[in-house]
Amino acid sequence: MSSPVRGHLWRNWSGLEEAVPRHVATPASVEEVVAAVRRARADGRTVKMTGTGHSFTAIGAPEHTLLRPDGLTGVLAVDREAMTVTARAGTPLKDLNLALERLGLSLHNMGDIAEQTLAGATSTGTHGTGGTAAGLAAQLAGLEIVTGTGEVLRASAAENADVFDLARVGLGALGILTSLTFHVEPLFVLEAHEEPMTWDRGLASFDEMVAEAHHVDLYWFPHTDRMVAKQNVRTDLDPGEQRPPSRAAAWWEDELVSNTLFGGLCRLGERAPALVPGINRVAARALSERRYSDLAHRVLVSPRRVRFREMEYAVPREVGLDVLRECRRVIDASDWRIAFPVEVRTARADDVPLSTAHGRDTLYLAFHVPAGTDHRAYFGGVEPVLRAAGGRPHWGKIHTRTAADLTPAYDRFGDFLALRDRLDPDRVFANDHLRRVLGD
């Protein structure tokens, strides 16, 4: 199954992180995953299942053996009485969405990118906005994991509950996920309202929008007073009665404006930073107000063809808008030229120990630059503001935190480390990034 490779380069989606593994394999069964883990342990080596590389950090970077997820895909079981669906962990989220649609089912919530594998998305705390649960991990009903000793554990609230509790956001540090079971619900339709607005109006009406809509996403264009608000409301429409945007309108907004035009403007801004404020004004005004309705996953997920680098922090909901204002003050006082919008989302408190929304209602602030732009001054300039507010960095996005200062941010951090000692005592799943954020 595993063979030596020469010159094989692993690189993440943003191009910021890369590694050259010694062995590459594509396991097609749980037994083959077990064999790879046991071999790595016996040899004193490490092994990582890498997913699609959509994390902006090196959290999934392989040091010795790279396992590809392609052989562990597809839906395994549907339980309509319990309203759960089990899928192999290497399944891309976009494929699960399509499979669920065919079954007349849907996840409750998701982020706006669906390229990630289920294992990678849940393990790093991937989330959407609003709803009763924003994070994918908070929608899990069960999981199967291969531990660092080669043991296969099935975990849920009723079986190995301590493992289930902590492994829902496991950072790839506890084992290799081989299947995941999600709570699902009947397929539903969202009414989408996208609307440009001013900074003052956006912040003044934000709480009202969050109270009235199920999912709210706000984008501020730096160096301007312009924002775009996206509000999605669940409707009583039956699937098949939705009114999606016309093919021409979808092409104009989602492809030409949001990807082709925006990508061109980003490239222009990289070559001529002084033009960025004007470019942002053009980009903000190019987006027009629109309303449409469609199946939930078609509304929540957007095509992202412009590559970027991202840092995102979760701050307490009650201070979130003040933190955003302070971040704007820092940006306005700087000489940075920021060509990407700042994204604002919310999440209700959840019970997942390493979720960034664990135990508190949360406001997310996400900062981006084009993939070819040096992010360090910008991200390094606003990160102290986010940290001072009690912010928790997204596990799959750029940050400078270490185990020493992450420990007090999570009241169950010690429990997680203790479970790691139990499930992976020889650190078969370690890499440099995990050594930084978890210690050891």
Side-chain angles (χ1 to χ4, degrees):
M1 178 186 67
S2 180
S3 59
V5 293
R6 291 174 184 246
H8 180 91
L9 177 67
W10 171 88
R11 181 181 285 122
N12 69 348
W13 178 80
S14 70
L16 186 60
E17 301 290 347
E18 59 184 41
V20 181
R22 294 287 303 278
H23 290 79
V24 177
T26 306
S29 67
V30 175
E31 291 74 21
E32 290 184 358
V33 174
V34 169
V37 170
R38 288 179 174 168
R39 183 161 47 250
R41 187 188 188 204
D43 293 343
R45 305 292 191 179
T46 60
V47 58
K48 299 295 289 184
M49 183 81 83
T50 57
T52 55
H54 262 268
S55 289
F56 296 88
T57 69
I59 192 169
E63 292 186 339
H64 188 267
T65 298
L66 180 158
L67 299 184
R68 297 183 181 279
D70 310 61
L72 295 171
T73 62
V75 171
L76 292 170
V78 179
D79 186 333
R80 291 187 180 274
E81 183 175 350
M83 287 301 285
T84 61
V85 169
T86 301
R88 293 183 177 92
T91 306
L93 179 58
K94 62 183 180 182
D95 292 350
L96 178 66
N97 285 335
L98 292 176
L100 291 176
E101 179 183 339
R102 290 191 290 269
L103 292 165
L105 301 170
S106 176
L107 293 173
H108 173 71
N109 205 348
M110 66 199 73
D112 59 1
I113 296 177
E115 307 300 317
Q116 312 98 315
T117 63
L118 301 180
T122 55
S123 294
T124 55
T126 296
H127 62 88
T129 184
T132 58
L136 286 174
Q139 299 170 63
L140 283 176
L143 56 88
E144 182 181 78
I145 189 170
V146 177
T147 73
T149 60
E151 182 181 6
V152 180
L153 289 180
R154 293 176 180 83
S156 66
E159 181 182 13
N160 293 309
D162 57 336
V163 174
F164 176 69
D165 183 32
L166 290 154
R168 286 175 290 173
V169 173
L171 313 185
L174 304 179
I176 293 176
L177 294 169
T178 50
S179 69
L180 293 160
T181 300
F182 289 91
H183 292 289
V184 295
E185 52 192 270
L187 194 63
F188 62 95
V189 174
L190 288 174
E191 178 78 31
H193 181 201
E194 301 173 3
E195 180 183 14
M197 58 182 60
T198 65
W199 166 273
D200 288 341
R201 182 188 164 203
L203 268 60
S205 62
F206 185 72
D207 289 340
E208 181 181 354
M209 287 189 286
V210 170
E212 294 181 352
H214 293 94
H215 312 275
V216 175
D217 208 336
L218 202 63
Y219 297 86
W220 169 58
F221 291 78
H223 318 299
T224 80
D225 281 315
R226 305 299 301 176
M227 299 185 120
V228 172
K230 296 186 176 183
Q231 303 171 67
N232 301 320
V233 178
R234 292 179 70 132
T235 76
D236 294 328
L237 293 174
D238 291 326
E241 297 179 339
Q242 67 267 25
R243 298 178 296 277
S246 68
R247 183 171 299 180
W251 173 83
W252 175 267
E253 290 284 348
D254 297 328
E255 289 296 338
L256 181 64
V257 175
S258 297
N259 283 293
T260 305
L261 176 60
F262 182 64
L265 292 174
C266 284
R267 289 190 293 274
L268 177 61
E270 287 183 291
R271 291 193 296 268
L275 298 179
V276 166
I279 288 172
N280 284 2
R281 287 191 290 272
V282 170
R285 294 183 182 280
L287 296 168
S288 57
E289 183 173 9
R290 65 171 176 167
R291 295 177 184 269
Y292 63 93
S293 60
D294 212 336
L295 300 179
H297 72 89
R298 297 180 190 167
V299 174
L300 296 173
V301 173
S302 303
R304 292 291 190 96
R305 312 199 199 288
V306 180
R307 297 195 182 227
F308 54 88
R309 303 176 183 182
E310 182 178 357
M311 176 179 72
E312 182 181 61
Y313 263 75
V315 298
R317 175 71 175 85
E318 63 271 17
V319 300
L321 294 183
D322 288 336
V323 176
L324 175 61
R325 292 184 181 96
E326 179 61 13
C327 288
R328 177 176 181 174
R329 187 196 66 75
V330 171
I331 292 169
D332 288 346
S334 75
D335 60 358
W336 310 322
R337 291 296 176 260
I338 312 304
F340 253 84
V342 174
E343 186 177 15
V344 183
R345 295 181 286 176
T346 65
R348 293 188 185 182
D350 65 42
D351 67 350
V352 182
L354 286 197
S355 164
T356 49
H358 177 250
R360 69 187 191 193
D361 290 344
T362 295
L363 186 132
Y364 289 103
L365 297 174
F367 305 84
H368 313 70
V369 298
T373 297
D374 189 341
H375 64 277
R376 289 173 294 182
Y378 175 32
F379 291 2
V382 297
E383 191 174 25
V385 176
L386 304 164
R387 289 182 60 169
R392 298 165 175 163
H394 189 298
W395 292 108
K397 299 178 184 179
I398 297 167
H399 63 90
T400 63
R401 305 289 286 275
T402 66
D405 61 17
L406 285 167
T407 300
Y410 294 91
D411 59 12
R412 300 285 307 282
F413 204 82
D415 295 340
F416 184 88
L417 296 182
L419 183 63
R420 184 190 188 205
D421 286 340
R422 186 178 117 205
L423 298 188
D424 186 21
D426 302 301
R427 301 298 186 258
V428 175
F429 307 117
N431 60 17
D432 280 344
H433 183 84
L434 290 178
R435 294 181 191 102
R436 175 167 70 85
V437 299
L438 296 178
D440 219 26

